[in-house]
C-alpha cells in the first residue's frame, strides 16, 4: 500500500487500534478547544440581531427565530461609528506600515547583515520581553508626557502609538526566524550582479517574504485594531477615539443588545481579514523562507 505521509501519522500507522484511538482523542480535544474559542464570538454575532423579546427570553435561543439586519444600520448611524472606524483605520494603517517596515528591517539586519555588536543588541531585544508589562507601561507613559530630549507632550497624538508598533520584540524575532531560512546563496548571487543592500532587500528578500509580510500585517492589524490601553491613555479627545475606546466610554449608557451590535462592528473586520489571508498567515508562521 502506498504510504501517503500528510502528517505524523501515516496510513499504515492509522490501521492500528492504538494509533486510531489516539488520533480521535486528539481530534476531539482540538474540536472542543475550537468550539470553546469560537462559541462566545458566534453568540455575540447571532444575539446582536435578535429582537428585544427574544434577546431577553429565558432560556435563551441558540438559533435565533428572527434576525434584524436593520438594527445594525440604525446603531451605526445613531452612534456615528463612521468617525471611529476612520480613526481606527488611520492608527491601524500607520501601525501596519511602521511595524512591518521597522521590525522586518530589524529582523533582516540581525539575520543576514550581522554587523558588529548585533549579538548584544539581539540579546537586549530578548531581555525586553522579560520586563513586566506594568513596569514597561509606567516608564513608557512617563516618556509620552515628557518626551526625552525634545520635552514635548504627546498626549492626543498618534505618534507614540506608531512608535511602539515599530519596536515589537516578538515581531522582530518572527521576521528573523523567517529570514534565517532564506539561503545565503540568493543574496550572494545578487551581490555579484552588483545589487546594493537596499535594492537587494527590496528586489530579492521582499518577494521571497510575502508569507511573513502578510503575517506581520495581520498581527499588527489585530493588535492595533483591538488595542484599548494606549489609545485610552493617549487619545483624550472624543473625536480621536478608536472603536474599542468609544464602546468602553458609552457602555454604561446603552442596553446589552446594543452593546453586542457594537462589539460585532469591532470584530467583523478582523474575522473577514483573517479568512481572506489565513493561507499566508499560516505559511508565515510555519515557514522558514526558501530552503536551499
Amino acid at each position: 500500500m502506498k504510504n501517503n505521509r500528510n502528517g505524523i501519522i501515516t496510513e499504515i500507522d492509522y490501521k492500528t487500534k492504538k494509533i486510531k484511538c489516539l488520533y480521535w482523542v486528539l481530534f476531539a480535544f482540538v474540536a472542543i478547544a475550537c468550539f470553546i474559542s469560537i462559541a462566545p464570538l458566534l453568540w455575540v454575532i447571532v444575539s446582536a440581531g435578535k429582537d428585544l423579546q427574544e434577546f431577553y427570553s429565558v432560556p435563551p435561543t441558540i438559533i435565533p427565530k428572527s434576525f434584524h439586519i436593520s438594527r445594525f444600520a440604525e446603531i451605526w448611524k445613531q452612534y456615528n461609528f463612521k468617525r471611529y472606524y476612520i480613526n481606527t483605520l488611520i492608527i491601524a494603517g500607520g501601525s501596519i506600515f511602521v511595524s512591518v517596515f521597522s521590525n522586518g528591517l530589524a529582523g533582516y539586519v540581525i539575520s543576514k547583515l550581522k554587523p558588529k555588536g548585533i549579538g548584544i543588541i539581539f540579546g537586549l531585544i530578548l531581555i525586553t520581553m522579560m520586563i513586566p508589562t506594568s513596569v514597561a507601561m509606567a516608564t513608557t507613559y512617563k516618556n509620552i508626557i515628557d518626551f526625552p530630549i525634545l520635552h514635548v507632550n504627546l498626549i492626543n497624538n498618534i505618534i507614540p502609538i506608531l512608535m511602539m508598533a515599530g519596536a515589537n520584540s516578538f515581531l522582530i524575532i518572527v521576521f528573523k526566524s523567517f529570514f534565517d531560512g532564506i539561503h545565503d546563496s540568493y543574496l550572494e548571487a545578487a551581490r555579484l550582479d552588483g545589487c546594493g543592500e537596499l535594492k537587494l532587500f527590496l528586489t530579492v528578500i521582499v518577494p521571497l517574504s510575502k508569507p511573513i509580510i502578510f503575517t506581520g500585517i495581520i498581527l499588527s492589524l489585530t493588535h492595533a485594531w483591538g488595542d484599548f490601553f494606549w489609545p485610552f491613555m493617549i487619545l483624550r479627545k472624543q473625536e480621536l477615539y478608536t472603536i474599542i475606546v468609544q464602546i468602553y466610554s458609552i457602555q454604561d449608557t446603552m442596553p446589552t443588545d446594543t452593546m453586542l451590535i457594537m462589539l460585532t462592528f469591532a470584530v467583523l473586520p478582523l474575522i473577514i481579514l483573517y479568512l481572506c489571508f489565513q493561507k499566508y498567515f499560516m505559511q508565515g508562521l510555519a515557514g522558514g523562507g526558501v530552503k536551499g
Side-chain angles (χ1 to χ4, degrees):
M1 177 181 289
K2 184 179 179 180
N3 187 6
N4 294 324
R5 176 176 279 278
N6 296 321
I8 61 173
I9 299 178
T10 64
E11 289 185 4
I12 296 177
D13 294 334
Y14 186 72
K15 290 182 178 297
T16 62
K17 291 183 179 180
K18 183 178 179 180
I19 297 298
K20 185 180 289 186
C21 180
L22 175 63
Y23 171 84
W24 285 108
V25 168
L26 293 176
F27 182 85
F29 175 79
V30 172
I32 294 172
C34 290
F35 176 78
I36 294 174
S37 301
I38 296 174
L41 179 61
L42 293 178
W43 183 84
V44 168
I45 296 175
V46 170
S47 299
K50 296 178 180 179
D51 57 38
L52 288 177
Q53 183 177 359
E54 183 180 3
F55 181 83
Y56 289 107
S57 64
V58 180
T61 55
I62 298 176
I63 300 176
K65 299 176 182 178
S66 60
F67 195 82
H68 301 276
I69 298 294
S70 60
R71 297 192 66 239
F72 289 83
E74 293 172 3
I75 299 300
W76 178 276
K77 293 179 181 179
Q78 180 180 351
Y79 291 94
N80 192 19
F81 253 78
K82 180 180 178 181
R83 174 200 294 178
Y84 307 112
Y85 252 74
I86 292 175
N87 293 342
T88 308
L89 286 172
I90 291 173
I91 293 176
S95 298
I96 289 171
F97 176 79
V98 173
S99 178
V100 173
F101 179 80
S102 176
N103 297 313
L105 200 58
Y108 173 71
V109 171
I110 296 172
S111 175
K112 295 302 181 185
L113 298 186
K114 299 178 181 177
K116 291 183 178 180
I118 196 63
I120 297 176
I121 294 176
F122 185 59
L124 293 175
I125 292 174
L126 294 176
I127 290 174
T128 60
M129 299 184 69
M130 309 299 172
I131 299 176
T133 304
S134 57
V135 175
M137 285 181 174
T139 306
T140 303
Y141 185 70
K142 182 179 179 181
N143 291 332
I144 291 172
I145 297 176
D146 183 15
F147 194 77
I149 301 176
L150 299 179
H151 298 291
V152 294
N153 191 330
L154 295 179
I155 295 296
N156 289 322
N157 198 314
I158 68 171
I159 291 178
I161 299 176
L162 301 184
M163 292 176 65
M164 285 184 279
N168 188 310
S169 302
F170 174 74
L171 274 182
I172 291 175
I173 295 172
V174 170
F175 274 104
K176 176 190 176 298
S177 299
F178 187 91
F179 292 143
D180 286 343
I182 298 179
H183 203 278
D184 291 340
S185 60
Y186 289 91
L187 282 67
E188 295 169 0
R191 292 190 181 105
L192 290 175
D193 290 337
C195 190
E197 291 299 331
L198 181 59
K199 185 179 180 181
L200 185 152
F201 179 77
L202 295 175
T203 60
V204 178
I205 298 297
V206 171
L208 293 175
S209 306
K210 288 182 179 179
I212 195 61
I213 290 175
F214 274 106
T215 300
I217 290 174
I218 294 175
L219 291 176
S220 301
L221 177 60
T222 302
H223 181 269
W225 193 277
D227 188 20
F228 167 77
F229 180 81
W230 286 119
F232 178 74
M233 296 296 294
I234 297 173
L235 307 177
R236 303 291 179 81
K237 297 179 180 179
Q238 187 175 7
E239 58 266 26
L240 300 176
Y241 281 0
T242 61
I243 295 174
I244 301 299
V245 175
Q246 173 62 8
I247 292 175
Y248 175 80
S249 66
I250 60 177
Q251 64 174 335
D252 295 331
T253 62
M254 68 179 70
T256 305
D257 59 323
T258 302
M259 170 67 76
L260 293 182
I261 293 178
M262 290 189 169
L263 292 175
T264 302
F265 288 148
V267 301
L268 272 183
L270 297 181
I271 295 174
I272 295 172
L273 179 76
Y274 180 77
L275 292 177
C276 293
F277 298 105
Q278 60 176 320
K279 174 183 176 182
Y280 297 101
F281 180 74
M282 298 307 299
Q283 287 179 353
L285 288 179
V290 179
K291 304 295 182 180

